[in-house]
Amino acid sequence: MAVNLVNPSGLPKIDVYRQVSIATGSKLVFIAGQVAWDAGGITVGEGDLAAQVEQCYLNIGTALAEAGGSFDDVAKLTFYVVDWTPDKMPPLLEGISRAAAKLGTTPVPPATLLGVAALDVPGHLVEIEVTAVLD
């Protein structure tokens, strides 16, 4: 495996992600920010953050598979959430959990969450950008 995820002593241990990603692979994969579009370009989960996060993760899984990888190869996630407030954390985590169950994985790479005013089109509540490293 090209990516080793760790929580160093001296840093807080966060359940939903690891603090450090140590990548030793030779193939970098940069996935464009994924939004809640299905394969036909239709927004999934209009007004439902959990459903949109789930669709983003499923899209990421599809992109990773095309590159020959999986969530085990993800070195870093960046979340962009429209009008972020801490009360949006439960639906965000619910969407991740539902997608993880469908994908058969527990995605916990380092992550950054940024609140934004808007995304590409009205109705998109979240966009997730990924960097992966493959052997």
Side-chain angles (χ1 to χ4, degrees):
M1 190 176 315
V3 178
N4 183 25
L5 304 176
V6 297
N7 273 325
S9 61
L11 293 178
K13 290 186 178 13
I14 309 295
D15 289 339
V16 296
Y17 67 88
R18 300 299 177 263
Q19 295 283 6
V20 177
S21 173
I22 303 165
T24 58
S26 58
K27 182 178 179 182
L28 296 176
V29 180
F30 300 94
I31 298 174
Q34 294 299 299
V35 294
W37 277 330
D38 64 13
I42 305 299
T43 298
V44 173
E46 191 78 35
D48 182 343
L49 181 60
Q52 289 200 15
V53 169
E54 179 181 3
Q55 185 64 43
C56 290
Y57 266 71
L58 296 175
N59 292 348
I60 292 163
T62 299
L64 288 165
E66 179 67 23
S70 71
F71 268 94
D72 291 336
D73 302 303
V74 174
K76 178 77 167 64
L77 294 167
T78 303
F79 292 78
Y80 302 91
V81 183
V82 174
D83 298 326
W84 174 258
T85 54
D87 63 311
K88 292 183 180 177
M89 186 61 80
L92 185 133
L93 295 175
E94 178 187 335
I96 293 170
S97 179
R98 292 189 330 214
K102 287 181 179 177
L103 295 165
T105 187
T106 304
V108 292
T112 298
L113 189 154
L114 301 166
V116 296
L119 291 170
D120 59 335
V121 298
H124 284 167
L125 304 175
V126 61
E127 183 170 330
I128 306 171
E129 183 179 72
V130 176
T131 301
V133 180
L134 307 176
D135 284 325

mmCIF file of all heavy atoms in Angstrom, residues 3 5 17-23 29-31 57 60 64 70-80 108-114 128-133:
data_model
loop_
_atom_site.group_PDB
_atom_site.id
_atom_site.type_symbol
_atom_site.label_atom_id
_atom_site.label_comp_id
_atom_site.label_asym_id
_atom_site.label_seq_id
_atom_site.Cartn_x
_atom_site.Cartn_y
_atom_site.Cartn_z
ATOM 1 N N VAL A 3 0.016 4.361 0.742
ATOM 2 C CA VAL A 3 -0.344 5.400 1.702
ATOM 3 C C VAL A 3 -0.510 4.779 3.087
ATOM 4 O O VAL A 3 -1.262 3.824 3.262
ATOM 5 C CB VAL A 3 -1.653 6.112 1.284
ATOM 6 C CG1 VAL A 3 -2.042 7.155 2.314
ATOM 7 C CG2 VAL A 3 -1.508 6.751 -0.093
ATOM 8 N N LEU A 5 -1.636 5.846 6.867
ATOM 9 C CA LEU A 5 -2.309 6.889 7.632
ATOM 10 C C LEU A 5 -2.011 6.709 9.111
ATOM 11 O O LEU A 5 -2.167 5.616 9.650
ATOM 12 C CB LEU A 5 -3.817 6.810 7.398
ATOM 13 C CG LEU A 5 -4.258 6.895 5.943
ATOM 14 C CD1 LEU A 5 -5.760 6.695 5.836
ATOM 15 C CD2 LEU A 5 -3.830 8.205 5.315
ATOM 16 N N TYR A 17 -10.777 11.001 10.714
ATOM 17 C CA TYR A 17 -9.621 11.098 9.830
ATOM 18 C C TYR A 17 -8.337 10.957 10.622
ATOM 19 O O TYR A 17 -8.338 11.025 11.837
ATOM 20 C CB TYR A 17 -9.614 12.397 9.011
ATOM 21 C CG TYR A 17 -9.422 13.668 9.814
ATOM 22 C CD1 TYR A 17 -8.152 14.163 10.091
ATOM 23 C CD2 TYR A 17 -10.516 14.389 10.270
ATOM 24 C CE1 TYR A 17 -7.976 15.331 10.811
ATOM 25 C CE2 TYR A 17 -10.352 15.553 10.989
ATOM 26 C CZ TYR A 17 -9.085 16.023 11.259
ATOM 27 O OH TYR A 17 -8.910 17.173 11.977
ATOM 28 N N ARG A 18 -7.238 10.714 9.909
ATOM 29 C CA ARG A 18 -5.912 10.637 10.520
ATOM 30 C C ARG A 18 -5.202 11.963 10.279
ATOM 31 O O ARG A 18 -5.439 12.640 9.286
ATOM 32 C CB ARG A 18 -5.101 9.485 9.939
ATOM 33 C CG ARG A 18 -5.743 8.119 10.130
ATOM 34 C CD ARG A 18 -5.924 7.781 11.614
ATOM 35 N NE ARG A 18 -6.603 6.514 11.803
ATOM 36 C CZ ARG A 18 -7.896 6.379 12.041
ATOM 37 N NH1 ARG A 18 -8.679 7.440 12.114
ATOM 38 N NH2 ARG A 18 -8.434 5.187 12.208
ATOM 39 N N GLN A 19 -4.290 12.295 11.161
ATOM 40 C CA GLN A 19 -3.588 13.575 11.076
ATOM 41 C C GLN A 19 -2.519 13.606 9.985
ATOM 42 O O GLN A 19 -2.218 14.660 9.440
ATOM 43 C CB GLN A 19 -2.937 13.904 12.425
ATOM 44 C CG GLN A 19 -3.919 14.135 13.543
ATOM 45 C CD GLN A 19 -4.580 15.496 13.481
ATOM 46 O OE1 GLN A 19 -4.398 16.272 12.546
ATOM 47 N NE2 GLN A 19 -5.380 15.803 14.480
ATOM 48 N N VAL A 20 -1.942 12.448 9.673
ATOM 49 C CA VAL A 20 -0.804 12.405 8.750
ATOM 50 C C VAL A 20 -0.991 11.285 7.736
ATOM 51 O O VAL A 20 -1.460 10.198 8.070
ATOM 52 C CB VAL A 20 0.522 12.183 9.522
ATOM 53 C CG1 VAL A 20 1.703 12.056 8.577
ATOM 54 C CG2 VAL A 20 0.757 13.312 10.517
ATOM 55 N N SER A 21 -0.599 11.574 6.522
ATOM 56 C CA SER A 21 -0.601 10.589 5.449
ATOM 57 C C SER A 21 0.826 10.496 4.923
ATOM 58 O O SER A 21 1.398 11.492 4.468
ATOM 59 C CB SER A 21 -1.546 11.072 4.339
ATOM 60 O OG SER A 21 -1.459 10.257 3.218
ATOM 61 N N ILE A 22 1.418 9.311 4.997
ATOM 62 C CA ILE A 22 2.783 9.106 4.507
ATOM 63 C C ILE A 22 2.675 8.309 3.215
ATOM 64 O O ILE A 22 2.258 7.149 3.222
ATOM 65 C CB ILE A 22 3.640 8.360 5.547
ATOM 66 C CG1 ILE A 22 3.651 9.138 6.864
ATOM 67 C CG2 ILE A 22 5.056 8.143 5.009
ATOM 68 C CD1 ILE A 22 4.162 8.333 8.042
ATOM 69 N N ALA A 23 3.016 8.951 2.111
ATOM 70 C CA ALA A 23 2.861 8.336 0.797
ATOM 71 C C ALA A 23 4.219 7.943 0.234
ATOM 72 O O ALA A 23 5.152 8.738 0.235
ATOM 73 C CB ALA A 23 2.168 9.310 -0.152
ATOM 74 N N VAL A 29 -2.386 10.722 -8.214
ATOM 75 C CA VAL A 29 -3.697 10.850 -8.840
ATOM 76 C C VAL A 29 -4.386 12.062 -8.215
ATOM 77 O O VAL A 29 -4.588 12.103 -7.002
ATOM 78 C CB VAL A 29 -4.548 9.584 -8.628
ATOM 79 C CG1 VAL A 29 -5.909 9.736 -9.286
ATOM 80 C CG2 VAL A 29 -3.820 8.351 -9.151
ATOM 81 N N PHE A 30 -4.724 13.028 -9.042
ATOM 82 C CA PHE A 30 -5.422 14.227 -8.598
ATOM 83 C C PHE A 30 -6.822 14.183 -9.190
ATOM 84 O O PHE A 30 -6.981 14.217 -10.413
ATOM 85 C CB PHE A 30 -4.691 15.490 -9.060
ATOM 86 C CG PHE A 30 -3.289 15.576 -8.536
ATOM 87 C CD1 PHE A 30 -2.218 15.110 -9.292
ATOM 88 C CD2 PHE A 30 -3.033 16.109 -7.285
ATOM 89 C CE1 PHE A 30 -0.922 15.177 -8.816
ATOM 90 C CE2 PHE A 30 -1.729 16.188 -6.802
ATOM 91 C CZ PHE A 30 -0.676 15.711 -7.566
ATOM 92 N N ILE A 31 -7.822 14.096 -8.330
ATOM 93 C CA ILE A 31 -9.199 13.989 -8.790
ATOM 94 C C ILE A 31 -9.879 15.344 -8.614
ATOM 95 O O ILE A 31 -9.856 15.927 -7.525
ATOM 96 C CB ILE A 31 -9.954 12.891 -8.013
ATOM 97 C CG1 ILE A 31 -9.266 11.544 -8.276
ATOM 98 C CG2 ILE A 31 -11.425 12.855 -8.401
ATOM 99 C CD1 ILE A 31 -9.810 10.409 -7.464
ATOM 100 N N TYR A 57 -18.724 10.856 -2.587
ATOM 101 C CA TYR A 57 -17.842 9.729 -2.261
ATOM 102 C C TYR A 57 -17.967 8.608 -3.295
ATOM 103 O O TYR A 57 -16.971 8.004 -3.681
ATOM 104 C CB TYR A 57 -18.127 9.197 -0.856
ATOM 105 C CG TYR A 57 -17.233 9.794 0.203
ATOM 106 C CD1 TYR A 57 -17.377 11.118 0.593
ATOM 107 C CD2 TYR A 57 -16.242 9.045 0.811
ATOM 108 C CE1 TYR A 57 -16.572 11.666 1.565
ATOM 109 C CE2 TYR A 57 -15.423 9.580 1.789
ATOM 110 C CZ TYR A 57 -15.593 10.905 2.166
ATOM 111 O OH TYR A 57 -14.776 11.448 3.117
ATOM 112 N N ILE A 60 -16.080 9.682 -6.255
ATOM 113 C CA ILE A 60 -14.647 9.550 -5.989
ATOM 114 C C ILE A 60 -14.227 8.097 -6.127
ATOM 115 O O ILE A 60 -13.189 7.787 -6.724
ATOM 116 C CB ILE A 60 -14.295 10.112 -4.597
ATOM 117 C CG1 ILE A 60 -14.470 11.634 -4.577
ATOM 118 C CG2 ILE A 60 -12.885 9.713 -4.181
ATOM 119 C CD1 ILE A 60 -14.540 12.240 -3.191
ATOM 120 N N LEU A 64 -11.353 6.810 -8.572
ATOM 121 C CA LEU A 64 -10.201 6.057 -8.063
ATOM 122 C C LEU A 64 -10.069 4.714 -8.769
ATOM 123 O O LEU A 64 -8.964 4.297 -9.132
ATOM 124 C CB LEU A 64 -10.330 5.841 -6.553
ATOM 125 C CG LEU A 64 -10.113 7.070 -5.677
ATOM 126 C CD1 LEU A 64 -10.615 6.816 -4.265
ATOM 127 C CD2 LEU A 64 -8.645 7.476 -5.676
ATOM 128 N N SER A 70 -8.194 2.796 -4.910
ATOM 129 C CA SER A 70 -9.362 2.771 -4.044
ATOM 130 C C SER A 70 -9.153 3.828 -2.954
ATOM 131 O O SER A 70 -8.131 4.521 -2.936
ATOM 132 C CB SER A 70 -9.518 1.392 -3.408
ATOM 133 O OG SER A 70 -8.501 1.181 -2.444
ATOM 134 N N PHE A 71 -10.088 3.893 -2.023
ATOM 135 C CA PHE A 71 -9.933 4.843 -0.926
ATOM 136 C C PHE A 71 -8.706 4.544 -0.073
ATOM 137 O O PHE A 71 -8.201 5.423 0.611
ATOM 138 C CB PHE A 71 -11.194 4.894 -0.058
ATOM 139 C CG PHE A 71 -12.168 5.949 -0.509
ATOM 140 C CD1 PHE A 71 -13.199 5.633 -1.375
ATOM 141 C CD2 PHE A 71 -12.035 7.265 -0.096
ATOM 142 C CE1 PHE A 71 -14.092 6.599 -1.806
ATOM 143 C CE2 PHE A 71 -12.910 8.247 -0.524
ATOM 144 C CZ PHE A 71 -13.937 7.905 -1.379
ATOM 145 N N ASP A 72 -8.183 3.332 -0.127
ATOM 146 C CA ASP A 72 -6.949 3.007 0.594
ATOM 147 C C ASP A 72 -5.756 3.801 0.070
ATOM 148 O O ASP A 72 -4.734 3.906 0.744
ATOM 149 C CB ASP A 72 -6.637 1.516 0.493
ATOM 150 C CG ASP A 72 -7.613 0.654 1.264
ATOM 151 O OD1 ASP A 72 -8.242 1.166 2.216
ATOM 152 O OD2 ASP A 72 -7.755 -0.529 0.915
ATOM 153 N N ASP A 73 -5.875 4.341 -1.123
ATOM 154 C CA ASP A 73 -4.783 5.082 -1.760
ATOM 155 C C ASP A 73 -4.911 6.595 -1.596
ATOM 156 O O ASP A 73 -4.062 7.340 -2.075
ATOM 157 C CB ASP A 73 -4.730 4.735 -3.248
ATOM 158 C CG ASP A 73 -4.555 3.246 -3.471
ATOM 159 O OD1 ASP A 73 -3.571 2.695 -2.962
ATOM 160 O OD2 ASP A 73 -5.421 2.635 -4.137
ATOM 161 N N VAL A 74 -5.964 7.057 -0.937
ATOM 162 C CA VAL A 74 -6.195 8.494 -0.791
ATOM 163 C C VAL A 74 -5.245 9.063 0.258
ATOM 164 O O VAL A 74 -5.195 8.602 1.395
ATOM 165 C CB VAL A 74 -7.659 8.795 -0.427
ATOM 166 C CG1 VAL A 74 -7.848 10.276 -0.126
ATOM 167 C CG2 VAL A 74 -8.578 8.364 -1.570
ATOM 168 N N ALA A 75 -4.499 10.083 -0.145
ATOM 169 C CA ALA A 75 -3.549 10.738 0.752
ATOM 170 C C ALA A 75 -4.153 11.976 1.405
ATOM 171 O O ALA A 75 -3.739 12.361 2.500
ATOM 172 C CB ALA A 75 -2.284 11.128 -0.015
ATOM 173 N N LYS A 76 -5.157 12.604 0.758
ATOM 174 C CA LYS A 76 -5.707 13.868 1.277
ATOM 175 C C LYS A 76 -7.061 14.137 0.660
ATOM 176 O O LYS A 76 -7.257 13.936 -0.536
ATOM 177 C CB LYS A 76 -4.746 15.016 0.950
ATOM 178 C CG LYS A 76 -5.193 16.400 1.381
ATOM 179 C CD LYS A 76 -5.005 16.590 2.873
ATOM 180 C CE LYS A 76 -5.125 18.026 3.338
ATOM 181 N NZ LYS A 76 -6.401 18.642 3.166
ATOM 182 N N LEU A 77 -8.003 14.575 1.490
ATOM 183 C CA LEU A 77 -9.325 15.027 1.052
ATOM 184 C C LEU A 77 -9.479 16.494 1.417
ATOM 185 O O LEU A 77 -9.029 16.925 2.487
ATOM 186 C CB LEU A 77 -10.438 14.269 1.781
ATOM 187 C CG LEU A 77 -10.590 12.783 1.538
ATOM 188 C CD1 LEU A 77 -11.523 12.177 2.582
ATOM 189 C CD2 LEU A 77 -11.141 12.546 0.149
ATOM 190 N N THR A 78 -10.129 17.253 0.550
ATOM 191 C CA THR A 78 -10.502 18.625 0.881
ATOM 192 C C THR A 78 -11.991 18.776 0.604
ATOM 193 O O THR A 78 -12.450 18.498 -0.506
ATOM 194 C CB THR A 78 -9.701 19.654 0.061
ATOM 195 O OG1 THR A 78 -8.308 19.434 0.290
ATOM 196 C CG2 THR A 78 -10.059 21.073 0.468
ATOM 197 N N PHE A 79 -12.734 19.175 1.638
ATOM 198 C CA PHE A 79 -14.174 19.383 1.543
ATOM 199 C C PHE A 79 -14.452 20.875 1.420
ATOM 200 O O PHE A 79 -13.899 21.675 2.174
ATOM 201 C CB PHE A 79 -14.881 18.915 2.821
ATOM 202 C CG PHE A 79 -14.848 17.439 3.055
ATOM 203 C CD1 PHE A 79 -13.719 16.821 3.552
ATOM 204 C CD2 PHE A 79 -15.966 16.676 2.799
ATOM 205 C CE1 PHE A 79 -13.695 15.460 3.789
ATOM 206 C CE2 PHE A 79 -15.959 15.311 3.039
ATOM 207 C CZ PHE A 79 -14.818 14.702 3.528
ATOM 208 N N TYR A 80 -15.336 21.225 0.522
ATOM 209 C CA TYR A 80 -15.843 22.587 0.390
ATOM 210 C C TYR A 80 -17.345 22.490 0.644
ATOM 211 O O TYR A 80 -18.058 21.831 -0.116
ATOM 212 C CB TYR A 80 -15.576 23.142 -1.006
ATOM 213 C CG TYR A 80 -14.109 23.136 -1.364
ATOM 214 C CD1 TYR A 80 -13.537 22.040 -2.006
ATOM 215 C CD2 TYR A 80 -13.292 24.216 -1.034
ATOM 216 C CE1 TYR A 80 -12.180 22.028 -2.322
ATOM 217 C CE2 TYR A 80 -11.935 24.208 -1.352
ATOM 218 C CZ TYR A 80 -11.394 23.108 -1.987
ATOM 219 O OH TYR A 80 -10.054 23.084 -2.297
ATOM 220 N N VAL A 108 -10.421 7.330 6.007
ATOM 221 C CA VAL A 108 -10.003 8.224 7.090
ATOM 222 C C VAL A 108 -8.701 8.979 6.777
ATOM 223 O O VAL A 108 -7.925 9.255 7.676
ATOM 224 C CB VAL A 108 -9.861 7.458 8.425
ATOM 225 C CG1 VAL A 108 -11.205 6.994 8.933
ATOM 226 C CG2 VAL A 108 -8.893 6.297 8.312
ATOM 227 N N PRO A 109 -8.448 9.359 5.516
ATOM 228 C CA PRO A 109 -7.224 10.117 5.248
ATOM 229 C C PRO A 109 -7.313 11.522 5.845
ATOM 230 O O PRO A 109 -8.404 11.969 6.206
ATOM 231 C CB PRO A 109 -7.174 10.184 3.720
ATOM 232 C CG PRO A 109 -8.591 10.049 3.297
ATOM 233 C CD PRO A 109 -9.241 9.155 4.314
ATOM 234 N N PRO A 110 -6.175 12.206 5.952
ATOM 235 C CA PRO A 110 -6.212 13.592 6.407
ATOM 236 C C PRO A 110 -7.214 14.379 5.564
ATOM 237 O O PRO A 110 -7.351 14.142 4.362
ATOM 238 C CB PRO A 110 -4.791 14.092 6.174
ATOM 239 C CG PRO A 110 -3.950 12.862 6.259
ATOM 240 C CD PRO A 110 -4.801 11.780 5.647
ATOM 241 N N ALA A 111 -7.898 15.305 6.236
ATOM 242 C CA ALA A 111 -8.934 16.064 5.547
ATOM 243 C C ALA A 111 -8.923 17.508 6.008
ATOM 244 O O ALA A 111 -8.580 17.812 7.146
ATOM 245 C CB ALA A 111 -10.300 15.442 5.818
ATOM 246 N N THR A 112 -9.321 18.375 5.098
ATOM 247 C CA THR A 112 -9.522 19.785 5.396
ATOM 248 C C THR A 112 -10.943 20.125 4.990
ATOM 249 O O THR A 112 -11.398 19.705 3.923
ATOM 250 C CB THR A 112 -8.525 20.659 4.604
ATOM 251 O OG1 THR A 112 -7.201 20.318 5.007
ATOM 252 C CG2 THR A 112 -8.769 22.130 4.845
ATOM 253 N N LEU A 113 -11.648 20.852 5.834
ATOM 254 C CA LEU A 113 -13.010 21.266 5.540
ATOM 255 C C LEU A 113 -13.046 22.782 5.507
ATOM 256 O O LEU A 113 -12.645 23.440 6.467
ATOM 257 C CB LEU A 113 -13.968 20.733 6.604
ATOM 258 C CG LEU A 113 -15.445 20.895 6.315
ATOM 259 C CD1 LEU A 113 -16.242 19.826 7.044
ATOM 260 C CD2 LEU A 113 -15.968 22.260 6.642
ATOM 261 N N LEU A 114 -13.523 23.313 4.386
ATOM 262 C CA LEU A 114 -13.617 24.754 4.211
ATOM 263 C C LEU A 114 -15.057 25.153 3.938
ATOM 264 O O LEU A 114 -15.722 24.545 3.098
ATOM 265 C CB LEU A 114 -12.752 25.208 3.028
ATOM 266 C CG LEU A 114 -11.266 24.880 3.123
ATOM 267 C CD1 LEU A 114 -10.588 25.052 1.784
ATOM 268 C CD2 LEU A 114 -10.622 25.751 4.178
ATOM 269 N N ILE A 128 -15.879 17.707 -3.048
ATOM 270 C CA ILE A 128 -14.769 17.031 -2.374
ATOM 271 C C ILE A 128 -13.663 16.774 -3.383
ATOM 272 O O ILE A 128 -13.887 16.159 -4.419
ATOM 273 C CB ILE A 128 -15.223 15.705 -1.730
ATOM 274 C CG1 ILE A 128 -16.412 15.938 -0.793
ATOM 275 C CG2 ILE A 128 -14.053 15.063 -0.968
ATOM 276 C CD1 ILE A 128 -17.063 14.680 -0.277
ATOM 277 N N GLU A 129 -12.477 17.257 -3.051
ATOM 278 C CA GLU A 129 -11.287 17.124 -3.900
ATOM 279 C C GLU A 129 -10.355 16.078 -3.287
ATOM 280 O O GLU A 129 -10.254 16.003 -2.057
ATOM 281 C CB GLU A 129 -10.611 18.499 -3.946
ATOM 282 C CG GLU A 129 -9.422 18.602 -4.823
ATOM 283 C CD GLU A 129 -8.887 20.031 -4.778
ATOM 284 O OE1 GLU A 129 -8.311 20.418 -3.738
ATOM 285 O OE2 GLU A 129 -9.064 20.748 -5.763
ATOM 286 N N VAL A 130 -9.682 15.302 -4.132
ATOM 287 C CA VAL A 130 -8.897 14.170 -3.650
ATOM 288 C C VAL A 130 -7.509 14.140 -4.283
ATOM 289 O O VAL A 130 -7.364 14.384 -5.486
ATOM 290 C CB VAL A 130 -9.618 12.837 -3.990
ATOM 291 C CG1 VAL A 130 -8.782 11.650 -3.578
ATOM 292 C CG2 VAL A 130 -10.977 12.790 -3.332
ATOM 293 N N THR A 131 -6.534 13.791 -3.458
ATOM 294 C CA THR A 131 -5.204 13.426 -3.949
ATOM 295 C C THR A 131 -4.929 12.012 -3.475
ATOM 296 O O THR A 131 -5.105 11.693 -2.295
ATOM 297 C CB THR A 131 -4.126 14.377 -3.388
ATOM 298 O OG1 THR A 131 -4.435 15.714 -3.778
ATOM 299 C CG2 THR A 131 -2.748 13.996 -3.908
ATOM 300 N N ALA A 132 -4.527 11.160 -4.410
ATOM 301 C CA ALA A 132 -4.220 9.766 -4.081
ATOM 302 C C ALA A 132 -2.823 9.433 -4.578
ATOM 303 O O ALA A 132 -2.287 10.088 -5.477
ATOM 304 C CB ALA A 132 -5.244 8.837 -4.719
ATOM 305 N N VAL A 133 -2.240 8.386 -3.999
ATOM 306 C CA VAL A 133 -0.922 7.922 -4.384
ATOM 307 C C VAL A 133 -1.004 6.411 -4.563
ATOM 308 O O VAL A 133 -1.435 5.697 -3.678
ATOM 309 C CB VAL A 133 0.154 8.272 -3.328
ATOM 310 C CG1 VAL A 133 1.517 7.779 -3.772
ATOM 311 C CG2 VAL A 133 0.184 9.775 -3.063
#
